[in-house]
Amino acid sequence: VQLQASGGGLVQAGGSLRLSCEASLQTFSIYVMGWFRQAPGKEREFVAAIRRSGGSTIYADPVKGRFTISSDNAKNSVNLQMNSLKSEDTAVYYCAAGPRLSPRAMDYAYWGQGTLVTVSS
């Protein structure tokens, strides 16, 4: 399974960006798709995830109320709408897929290549 992330870029603080991640094929092992991010000099951290069947979601506290994750099962993809962006949201964002709705990176078996989001203040 390959994950292709897109949509990163440069945006001013307070602006919005939409990230997308498409999986290369349909598989029963991809019940959940999610996003993680890694800022320079920091560890990778969880952002949001969604269970493709039923639509259950979880979010990290720093992004609650600002980010929305959604799933397009027909396209085998997941989107992350990011609003009210802050400078601290600057990071490389990675999409991931796995069998369990979880904020732990170890629960995700498949990872995309990452897309850079830069928020200027």
Side-chain angles (χ1 to χ4, degrees):
V1 176
Q2 291 185 331
L3 303 177
Q4 182 67 44
S6 61
L10 174 65
V11 65
Q12 289 187 332
S16 299
L17 276 178
R18 184 178 177 88
L19 305 184
S20 296
C21 177
E22 185 169 353
S24 60
L25 56 86
Q26 187 78 264
T27 171
F28 289 115
S29 66
I30 303 181
Y31 294 123
V32 172
M33 295 183 75
W35 291 93
F36 289 74
R37 67 186 182 186
Q38 187 167 17
K42 295 187 177 181
E43 294 186 352
R44 188 172 300 191
E45 65 176 5
F46 170 74
V47 176
I50 185 168
R51 182 179 287 120
R52 296 172 63 213
S53 176
S56 297
T57 58
I58 53 174
Y59 293 92
D61 286 343
V63 307
K64 283 182 180 177
R66 300 188 298 121
F67 292 10
T68 302
I69 190 170
S70 60
S71 178
D72 185 339
N73 292 341
K75 294 183 178 180
N76 214 26
S77 65
V78 63
N79 300 306
L80 184 68
Q81 178 66 40
M82 306 185 295
N83 299 328
S84 302
L85 283 161
K86 305 175 182 179
S87 57
E88 52 261 46
D89 294 319
T90 295
V92 176
Y93 283 70
Y94 297 90
C95 64
R100 182 181 298 112
L101 189 63
S102 167
R104 303 186 307 173
M106 64 184 295
D107 288 327
Y108 293 82
Y110 307 103
W111 291 83
Q113 84 286 5
T115 184
L116 177 62
V117 172
T118 303
V119 183
S120 63
S121 57

